[in-house]
Amino acid sequence: MKYCALLALLLIILPSGISAQKTAKISGIVLDQDNNPIEIVNVRVQGHIAGTVTNLKGHYSLNVTSKDSVVLVYSKLGYNTRKRLLKNPKGEITLNVVLLNTGYELGEVTVTETKRQTGMTEKINTKGAKLMPDASGGNIEALIATQAGVSSHNELSSQYNVRGGSFDENIVYVNGVEIYRPLLIRSGQQEGLSFINPDMVQEVGFSSGGYEAKYGDKMSSVLDITYKKPDKLEGSVTASLLGTSAYVGFANKHFSMTNGIRYKSNRYLLGTLDTKGEYDPSFFDYQTFLNWKPSKRWEVGFIGNISQNKYNFTPKDRTTKFGTVSSVQEFKVYFGGQEQDLFQTFFGSGSITYHFNPYNDITFIGSAFHTKEQETYDITGEYWLSSLDENTSGETSNEDQTVGVGTYMEHARNYLNANVQSYSITGNHKVKSHQIKWGLEFKKEFIKDKLREWEMRDSAGYSLPHTSNDVELIYSLASKNEIKSNRLSFYTQDTYKFSSDLGLFTFNAGIRGSYWNWNKEFIFSPRVSMALIPKFNENFTFRGATGVYYQAPFYKEFRDTTTINGNTVVVLNKDIKSQRSIHFVLASDYKFRTLGRPFKFTTELYYKMLSNLVPYNVDNVRISYYGKNMASGYAAGLDMKLFGEFVPGTDSWLCLSLMQTKEKINEKWIPRPTDQRYNLSLYFTDYFRGNKKWKMNLKATLADGLPFGPPHSGREKMVFRTPAYRRVDIGISRQLIDNENGDYRGRISRHIRNMWIGADVFNLLGISNVNSYYWVTDVYNNQYAVPNYLTSRQINIRLLLEF
C-alpha cells in the first residue's frame, strides 16, 4: 500500500511538472545602425551554446523555455555583442534588435569608427574637409592626396598619382557614371575646377588597388563618389580669396534636388610665382542632381553639369635664382605676347531604376560628355643666364657674369572637340549570403583634334639647333586627326559572406570583359579578393586581392609621334594594345584604444606586374606618350596609415608610403616618371583647450623627388631627380554660430545651422618646391635646367555658412 500511495503521488505531481516546462517563441529582425538587416547573426540563450542565426533578411526565430528570466545574446564578428533580458516570457514575442559596428558606444551612441572595411574600397570621411586648407579650392581630390599610396606634387592641380601610376590611370565615378576631364590641360594654372562638387557629396569610396570587377579599365585606382539625396531644405555658402560657391538642396516625400554653383579665380595665388604678369583665370561650374521616386518600385535620377574654364595670361618678366650655395645662377626673362585658353565641358546623365523588392533591382543609365577646348599662345622671351659670384663673407654679390643670352619664341594653336556617349544596364541581387552585381555598357566616342605648336630658340645670334644655312626649330608638332569608335564592356561579380571556426569571411570574385572596335582588341579581367575577421581577435581584419587590370587606350595613348626632317607629326597607331597590370595586395587593419581613444593601423603590401606599357614623359600635368607598346615594368611598395583621435573628438591620420617603380625600354631598366621612393603625409586636426569653437587643421607632405630630363628627348635620358616636395598648409577656424540644436531664435540666426570664419596659410614654411624645368641651351649646346617653382607662402581668408 505504501508503494501504491507513492506511485499515485508521482502521477499527480509529474503532469504538473511537465506542464510547467512551457516554451515561448521569440522572433524578430536584427538591424544595423542604418536599419539594414544583418544576416548570420548568432542568437542564443545565455549559458547555452546552441541557438540560431538570422537569415538573409535578418529574421530569426527561437524557442526558449519559460522561466523567471531569460537572457538572449546577439553576436556577430564586427559588431558589438548585445544582450536582452526577458522576464517570464510566454507565448509569441516579437523582439527587434539593433547591433552597432564595433567601435560604437551605447549610451550617447558616439561614433568612433566607420563600417568595418572587408573589401578593397575604403570609405573616406569628408566631414571636416570644408575646413581643410587647400590651395586648389577645397577639392575632394586634395583629401584623397593625403591617403596612403597617393601623392601630388602640384598644389594648383587636383590630379594625383597612386602607387606609381600616372594621372590617366585613375578612374572617377559619380553615381555609377565614369567622369572625364579636359584633354589639352598642360599646367595646374589652366586646370580650374574639378568635376566633383564637394558640397553635393554624400559618400566617398577610394581604392588604391585590387578593386572589384564592377570598376572599369584603369590600372591604378578608383574614386567612387555618391551624391547626396537631402531629406529636407538645406544649403551652404562659402567665400574666400580664391573664389566662392553656393549649394542648396530640398526634398519632399517623392522628390529631391541639389544644386551647386562654383566660381574660382586663383589670380591671387598665381601672383606668388616667379613669372610676373597679368593673370586672368576664371573658372565657373554649375551642377544639379535630381531624384524622383514616383512609387516604391520606380526611381529616376539626373545629373547635369556645365563648366567653363578660361585662362588668359600676359607675361611681363621673370627672375629665378637657382643652383647651390656656392654656385648661384640667375635666370632673367623679359616677355612679350600672351596666352588665351578656353575649356568648355558639358555632361548629362539620366538613370531609371526598378526595385523588384528590397533585394533585387535593375538600373538603366544613359550619359553624354562633350568638351570643346582651345589653347592658343604666342610668347617671346629675351633671357639672360648669369652666374652670381660669392664674396669673401659668403654673401652673393651684385656683380654677375653672363653665361648665356638668347631669345625664344613659343607658338600654339591647339583645338580639340570630343563627344562620349554611354548606355548601360546594371543589376543588383541579394540571394541568401550572396550579393550579385552585373552590368553591360555600350560606349560611343568621337574625338577630333587640330594641333600646331612649335618652339624656336636663338642663342647669341644662332638658331638652335645650329646649322650653317637654315633656320631650324628646336621643336615642331603638327596633328590633324579624327577618330570614331565604339566600346562594349560587361562585368559580373559575387560577394559572399560566411562564418567558420576561423572567423567571418568576405569573398568577392568577378570577371570583366571589354571590346574596342578601333583596334579589334578584346580584354578579359578576372579579379578576386578575400577578407577575414578572425575569431581569435576581432580587432584584426586581414585582406588580400589579386586581379588583372587593363588601361584601355583613350586618345592620348595611341598618338604615335614621328619626326621627319625636323617636323613632328602625329599618326594614330591602330596596332596599340591595352596596357596591363596584375595586382597582388596583402593588407591588415588593427583596431586598438590608447589613452581612452580609438585608433586603427592599416598596412598594405603590394606588387604590380606591368606589361604592354606605353612610355611617357610628364611636364607639369601634361603627359606625352610614345604611342607604342614598347616597355614592361613593375611597381612594388608598402603603405602604412595610422588613423584615429590624436586629439579627443577629432579625426587625424599619418601615412607613410615606400615604393619603387621601373620599366624596361630597349633592354634597359630605368625609373618610371612616377618613381617616388617615399611619401610621408599628415592630416591633423585640433581645437583650443576648453573651447571647441576654435579649430585647427594642418596638412603636411614630405615626398621624394621625381625623375626628369631634357625636353623632347627619350626616357633613357631622364637620369636626374627633382628635389623633395615639402609643404605645410595650416588653417585656423572660429565657429561663430553653432545652431545644430536650434537654440538660436533670431529672425535670421534661426535659419543658420553653422557659421565659420577662418584663415589659411599656404606653404607655411615658405619652401620653393619645383614643379618642372625650363631648359636653356647656349651656342655650344650646353643645357641648363632652370626650375619652375610652385607657389610661395600666401594667406587666405574664408567664410562658411550652412543653413
Side-chain angles (χ1 to χ4, degrees):
M1 292 294 295
K2 183 185 299 185
Y3 293 107
C4 291
L6 289 175
L7 181 59
L9 183 61
L10 287 174
L11 291 174
I12 295 172
I13 296 176
L14 186 59
S16 63
I18 294 174
S19 63
Q21 296 295 321
K22 293 182 178 180
T23 61
K25 182 180 180 181
I26 303 174
S27 61
I29 300 176
V30 181
L31 305 170
D32 64 12
Q33 67 275 3
D34 298 320
N35 288 325
N36 297 316
I38 311 176
E39 71 272 19
I40 321 178
V41 175
N42 294 305
V43 184
R44 61 181 177 85
V45 177
Q46 183 170 284
H48 295 261
I49 299 176
T52 186
V53 295
T54 58
N55 64 11
L56 175 66
K57 299 180 180 180
H59 186 270
Y60 73 95
S61 179
L62 182 67
N63 292 322
V64 300
T65 302
S66 297
K67 46 184 160 180
D68 290 342
S69 62
V70 174
V71 177
L72 292 184
V73 180
Y74 301 81
S75 63
K76 181 178 180 178
L77 292 175
Y79 293 85
N80 283 330
T81 298
R82 192 165 185 185
K83 299 179 180 179
R84 294 297 299 269
L85 173 65
L86 301 178
K87 293 185 176 181
N88 193 23
K90 296 179 180 179
E92 294 187 0
I93 300 174
T94 300
L95 182 60
N96 298 329
V97 175
V98 175
L99 294 187
L100 301 178
N101 291 116
T102 306
Y104 282 70
E105 295 180 359
L106 296 175
E108 296 182 356
V109 195
T110 302
V111 179
T112 59
E113 183 192 346
T114 57
K115 190 175 181 180
R116 182 78 69 104
Q117 180 183 347
T118 56
M120 301 308 294
T121 301
E122 178 185 7
K123 300 299 181 183
I124 306 296
N125 185 359
T126 63
K127 183 178 179 181
K130 291 185 177 181
L131 301 180
M132 179 180 65
D134 177 26
S136 64
N139 293 324
I140 291 293
E141 291 88 343
L143 188 66
I144 297 300
T146 65
Q147 304 301 311
V150 187
S151 65
S152 174
H153 284 74
N154 190 340
E155 64 271 8
L156 295 174
S157 172
S158 62
Q159 302 305 310
Y160 52 87
N161 303 109
V162 179
R163 293 180 174 174
S166 71
F167 307 141
D168 293 336
E169 295 177 22
N170 307 315
I171 195 167
V172 179
Y173 289 93
V174 173
N175 286 14
V177 180
E178 183 179 355
I179 301 301
Y180 297 88
R181 63 187 181 97
L183 301 172
L184 292 183
I185 295 290
R186 60 182 174 84
S187 69
Q189 292 92 312
Q190 300 172 312
E191 191 172 297
L193 291 162
S194 159
F195 179 91
I196 303 169
N197 187 327
D199 294 328
M200 300 173 65
V201 171
Q202 174 70 35
E203 187 176 82
V204 176
F206 179 73
S207 175
S208 53
Y211 37 90
E212 303 167 24
K214 69 177 182 178
Y215 296 121
D217 299 316
K218 297 287 186 179
M219 291 200 302
S220 289
S221 75
V222 169
L223 179 58
D224 192 357
I225 303 294
T226 303
Y227 275 179
K228 65 175 68 173
K229 302 173 186 176
D231 53 12
K232 59 183 177 180
L233 179 64
E234 61 182 27
S236 65
V237 175
T238 60
S240 74
L241 297 178
L242 300 179
T244 184
S245 68
Y247 158 78
V248 62
F250 58 89
N252 56 34
K253 185 177 180 180
H254 297 287
F255 180 78
S256 68
M257 182 178 185
T258 58
N259 299 271
I261 186 170
R262 295 179 292 171
Y263 172 78
K264 174 183 173 183
S265 176
N266 53 9
R267 178 190 309 176
Y268 173 69
L269 199 60
L270 297 179
T272 67
L273 299 175
D274 282 350
T275 300
K276 308 301 180 182
E278 297 180 10
Y279 290 94
D280 185 20
S282 176
F283 312 120
F284 168 83
D285 148 284
Y286 168 74
Q287 287 190 45
T288 184
F289 172 44
L290 294 79
N291 187 262
W292 178 45
K293 297 186 70 173
S295 67
K296 184 174 67 174
R297 296 191 181 277
W298 289 98
E299 185 173 359
V300 180
F302 173 78
I303 298 177
N305 170 255
I306 300 173
S307 176
Q308 178 172 281
N309 294 348
K310 288 184 178 179
Y311 179 73
N312 298 326
F313 176 44
T314 303
K316 291 184 178 179
D317 60 75
R318 167 182 176 173
T319 301
T320 301
K321 292 183 179 180
F322 63 101
T324 62
V325 175
S326 60
S327 177
V328 180
Q329 309 288 327
E330 182 181 71
F331 181 63
K332 184 172 290 187
V333 189
Y334 295 96
F335 295 101
Q338 64 178 346
E339 177 177 355
Q340 293 184 333
D341 305 326
L342 177 63
F343 305 91
Q344 294 178 318
T345 59
F346 304 89
F347 173 82
S349 170
S351 65
I352 299 176
T353 301
Y354 181 74
H355 301 275
F356 297 94
N357 51 52
Y359 310 102
N360 296 275
D361 59 67
I362 189 170
T363 301
F364 302 88
I365 302 176
S367 66
F369 168 78
H370 171 73
T371 180
K372 182 179 180 181
E373 307 174 23
Q374 65 179 47
E375 180 188 42
T376 62
Y377 56 82
D378 286 287
I379 295 177
T380 62
E382 297 182 359
Y383 67 83
W384 284 261
L385 181 63
S386 305
S387 177
L388 303 182
D389 295 329
E390 191 178 81
N391 57 32
T392 56
S393 63
E395 298 179 352
T396 303
S397 68
N398 293 326
E399 298 180 0
D400 54 31
Q401 178 182 357
T402 301
V403 176
V405 296
T407 303
Y408 66 86
M409 297 180 61
E410 295 178 339
H411 166 90
R413 294 292 185 272
N414 298 331
Y415 304 94
L416 182 141
N417 284 276
N419 293 285
V420 180
Q421 298 178 23
S422 173
Y423 308 93
S424 66
I425 177 173
T426 62
N428 184 24
H429 312 281
K430 199 165 187 180
V431 182
K432 295 186 178 180
S433 298
H434 295 267
Q435 182 76 48
I436 301 171
K437 296 182 179 183
W438 57 269
L440 180 67
E441 182 181 44
F442 175 72
K443 191 178 292 185
K444 298 176 63 176
E445 300 169 352
F446 171 73
I447 304 173
K448 181 179 180 181
D449 72 13
K450 184 179 180 182
L451 311 180
R452 183 71 178 103
E453 55 186 49
W454 52 260
E455 180 180 353
M456 188 198 76
R457 296 186 190 177
D458 177 88
S459 181
Y462 291 93
S463 172
L464 297 175
H466 175 60
T467 61
S468 58
N469 299 318
D470 301 322
V471 177
E472 299 284 349
L473 299 175
I474 193 170
Y475 168 68
S476 175
L477 173 69
S479 172
K480 187 176 182 181
N481 291 293
E482 181 177 311
I483 177 174
K484 295 181 180 180
S485 65
N486 300 321
R487 300 178 194 260
L488 182 65
S489 62
F490 69 89
Y491 74 85
T492 181
Q493 66 176 51
D494 178 26
T495 302
Y496 175 55
K497 294 183 178 181
F498 62 94
S499 294
S500 75
D501 293 338
L502 296 177
L504 177 63
F505 284 88
T506 301
F507 182 77
N508 177 275
I511 57 173
R512 185 177 187 89
S514 179
Y515 176 76
W516 189 27
N517 71 339
W518 197 75
N519 67 347
K520 305 295 189 294
E521 181 189 29
F522 176 78
I523 54 179
F524 181 75
S525 304
R527 304 173 187 179
V528 63
S529 66
M530 186 177 67
L532 168 65
I533 303 175
K535 277 191 176 180
F536 70 83
N537 190 335
E538 293 184 24
N539 292 321
F540 279 103
T541 303
F542 300 108
R543 293 177 283 117
T546 185
V548 180
Y549 299 83
Y550 286 94
Q551 181 82 13
F554 182 75
Y555 178 62
K556 291 188 291 185
E557 287 95 329
F558 57 86
R559 298 172 70 249
D560 185 8
T561 55
T562 304
T563 302
I564 303 174
N565 297 326
N567 295 317
T568 301
V569 297
V570 176
V571 179
L572 301 183
N573 179 14
K574 279 212 166 189
D575 295 326
I576 195 75
K577 300 297 181 184
S578 297
Q579 302 177 84
R580 185 176 66 186
S581 175
I582 303 178
H583 292 194
F584 301 93
V585 183
L586 292 175
S588 68
D589 302 324
Y590 176 62
K591 301 189 312 170
F592 62 96
R593 300 183 70 89
T594 184
L595 301 177
R597 301 195 294 271
F599 291 87
K600 182 174 75 170
F601 182 69
T602 300
T603 304
E604 293 199 10
L605 182 68
Y606 64 91
Y607 179 83
K608 298 197 288 189
M609 185 186 303
L610 310 175
S611 58
N612 288 337
L613 293 179
V614 180
Y616 61 88
N617 293 314
V618 180
D619 182 18
N620 204 308
V621 298
R622 185 180 189 179
I623 301 178
S624 301
Y625 289 90
Y626 276 41
K628 299 177 182 178
N629 303 101
M630 52 183 298
S632 60
Y634 70 88
L638 174 67
D639 294 333
M640 293 174 285
K641 178 180 178 180
L642 178 63
F643 174 91
E645 295 186 7
F646 293 19
V647 175
T650 66
D651 288 341
S652 303
W653 54 88
L654 175 67
C655 300
L656 173 63
S657 298
L658 306 174
M659 188 267 295
Q660 183 181 68
T661 180
K662 289 187 175 183
E663 60 187 354
K664 185 168 69 171
I665 304 176
N666 298 327
E667 301 302 320
K668 182 179 179 181
W669 285 97
I670 55 176
R672 303 194 76 203
T674 52
D675 180 40
Q676 182 178 272
R677 295 168 296 189
Y678 62 86
N679 182 25
L680 180 67
S681 62
L682 169 69
Y683 182 72
F684 179 72
T685 57
D686 196 1
Y687 52 83
F688 287 21
R689 173 171 288 186
N691 190 348
K692 292 188 177 182
K693 292 184 178 295
W694 285 94
K695 199 167 186 178
M696 185 273 290
N697 297 71
L698 182 143
K699 186 173 64 172
T701 301
L702 172 62
D704 188 23
L706 299 175
F708 76 98
H712 317 304
S713 60
R715 285 278 298 109
E716 299 85 350
K717 296 184 179 180
M718 304 293 171
V719 296
F720 306 103
R721 194 173 284 268
T722 63
Y725 182 83
R726 299 163 295 165
R727 186 178 176 91
V728 177
D729 297 331
I730 189 171
I732 304 293
S733 304
R734 173 66 163 86
Q735 189 176 27
L736 302 180
I737 296 178
D738 180 6
N739 196 24
E740 293 284 355
N741 299 322
D743 297 330
Y744 287 79
R745 298 298 181 182
R747 185 175 180 182
I748 298 177
S749 61
R750 64 191 179 95
H751 298 292
I752 300 176
R753 182 160 50 96
N754 281 300
M755 182 176 180
W756 291 85
I757 188 170
D760 302 323
V761 181
F762 300 137
N763 198 358
L764 176 66
L765 304 181
I767 297 173
S768 297
N769 289 303
V770 177
N771 178 45
S772 58
Y773 288 87
Y774 183 81
W775 290 77
V776 178
T777 310
D778 62 20
V779 69
Y780 301 107
N781 210 31
N782 295 318
Q783 291 186 314
Y784 301 86
V786 181
N788 296 317
Y789 292 118
L790 288 163
T791 57
S792 57
R793 185 187 296 114
Q794 195 72 310
I795 296 176
N796 179 45
I797 306 297
R798 53 183 163 76
L799 173 70
L800 169 62
L801 283 172
E802 294 180 328
F803 303 96

